[in-house]
Amino acid sequence: MILNGKETAIKLNHELQLKIQQDMQQFRPPHLAIILVGSHPASLSYIKGKLKAAESVGIKATLHHFGDDVSTLMIYDKIQELNQDEQVDGMILQLPLPKHLDEAYLTQAIDVTKDADGFHVLNQGLLYQGKSSVKPATPYGMTLLLNAYNIDVLGKHAVIVGRSNIVGFPIARLLMDLGATITVCHSKTKDLSYHTKQADILVVSVGKPHLIDKNMIKKDAIILDVGINKVDGKLVGDVNFNDVVDHVSAITPVPGGVGPMTIHALLLNTYHLYEKHVKIKTK
Ligand code: NDP
């Protein structure tokens, strides 16, 4: 079974659009502010996708685009301005930032009530206590995709390759919350394939094209491939899709798997923040 993130995101975006249409009979539209620095082709393409998806569901999205030579202070000031703007519900700072900017400082400057990516330490802390309101978009999107295909995680052994703060670490927590037993692997893991072969669910978020092949997975495993790598002008995942596809029970393609679900989860996070801003105020 191919876990079609593109189709699933279209369906879920449509459901979100209907909710927003209903809310707009009473309230202003939700508003997502996006801060982009520089003109990295991959970032520009992600931003284009986010703007288009936001517009399609009725979320107003505004892009604040800075040149490569911008200072940390200038971005900080923009974040403060957006923090104070009552018309802005969610904000994201497209990563990675150019090396001269203080990424950790800037991601923490975003008000916790507008943190649409869920990268603020407070939101991460809540996540690790199982109390989160805003979940990081990529892991959240993956759980929504599993849910859309009625894949039950309870009691399964999930092996995560990669321990980044935005994917590997939080998906470990979310899958554990859903009742999975977790193993997290990383660059220092000895005998990676020993671990990956134990996986009922294998999540790979490394950024190395075709790191995982058929010899490294258990038959009928469920594979979530987060990696996005450009090889010979084509996008490929961290898993060798053609090699493993007949060996698995379910797999996400690259592109069209985890990526569109990440965008859907970002829109959903923005909507949840909007609900808090607009609806609670009128209660
Ligand atoms: P990072 O680049 O932050 O980290 C990579 C992780 O992989 C680290 O934990 C590292 O270990 C681990 N690693 C590196 N080499 C190996 C190896 N040989 N064996 C096992 N583990 C290894 O990861 P991200 O999660 O930010 O991104 C990973 C990929 O996912 C990238 O291709 C990125 O573009 C893509 N991505 C896709 C998204 C989507 O929406 N589809 C969203 C976010 C990312 P260590 O910690 O020890 O260094």
Side-chain angles (χ1 to χ4, degrees), residues 31-36 46-47 50 89-97 103 106-108 110-124 127-128 132-141 165-167 170-171 174 259 261-273:
H31 182 178
L32 173 68
I34 302 175
I35 301 175
L36 171 68
Y46 295 145
I47 292 294
K50 288 172 185 175
D89 301 297
M91 197 192 318
I92 60 166
L93 180 61
Q94 182 67 35
L95 303 180
L97 293 174
E103 190 170 299
L106 290 172
T107 48
Q108 299 315 309
I110 294 176
D111 191 292
V112 70
T113 67
K114 299 196 176 189
D115 176 31
D117 261 336
F119 294 165
H120 194 284
V121 284
L122 197 59
N123 278 323
Q124 289 196 341
L127 176 80
Y128 299 129
S132 74
S133 54
V134 180
K135 300 175 184 125
T138 303
Y140 185 26
N165 279 330
I166 62 168
V167 185
I171 190 64
L174 291 180
M261 291 304 295
T262 296
I263 296 183
H264 170 70
L266 169 70
L267 301 181
L268 205 52
N269 278 342
T270 305
Y271 178 71
H272 291 321
L273 295 170

Side-chain angles (χ1 to χ4, degrees), residues 42 46 50 119 137-139 142 160-169 184-189 192 196 204-209 211-212 216 225-230 236-238 254 257-263:
Y46 295 145
K50 288 172 185 175
F119 294 165
T138 303
M142 281 192 268
I160 326 287
V161 188
R163 55 176 166 176
S164 67
N165 279 330
I166 62 168
V167 185
F169 205 43
V184 179
C185 304
H186 45 77
S187 68
K188 309 293 182 290
T189 299
L192 180 64
T196 55
V204 191
S205 187
V206 171
K208 294 215 157 110
L211 175 71
I212 305 292
M216 297 175 75
D225 187 358
V226 183
I228 301 176
N229 311 286
K230 211 161 202 180
V236 299
D238 289 346
V254 177
V258 173
M261 291 304 295
T262 296
I263 296 183

Side-chain angles (χ1 to χ4, degrees), residues 237-257:
D238 289 346
V239 178
N240 188 334
F241 184 91
N242 291 335
D243 190 46
V244 307
V245 68
D246 293 331
H247 206 64
V248 298
S249 70
I251 183 166
T252 55
V254 177

Side-chain angles (χ1 to χ4, degrees), residues 172-188:
R173 176 70 217 204
L174 291 180
L175 292 177
M176 187 158 51
D177 287 346
L178 292 170
T181 302
I182 308 294
T183 300
V184 179
C185 304
H186 45 77
S187 68
K188 309 293 182 290

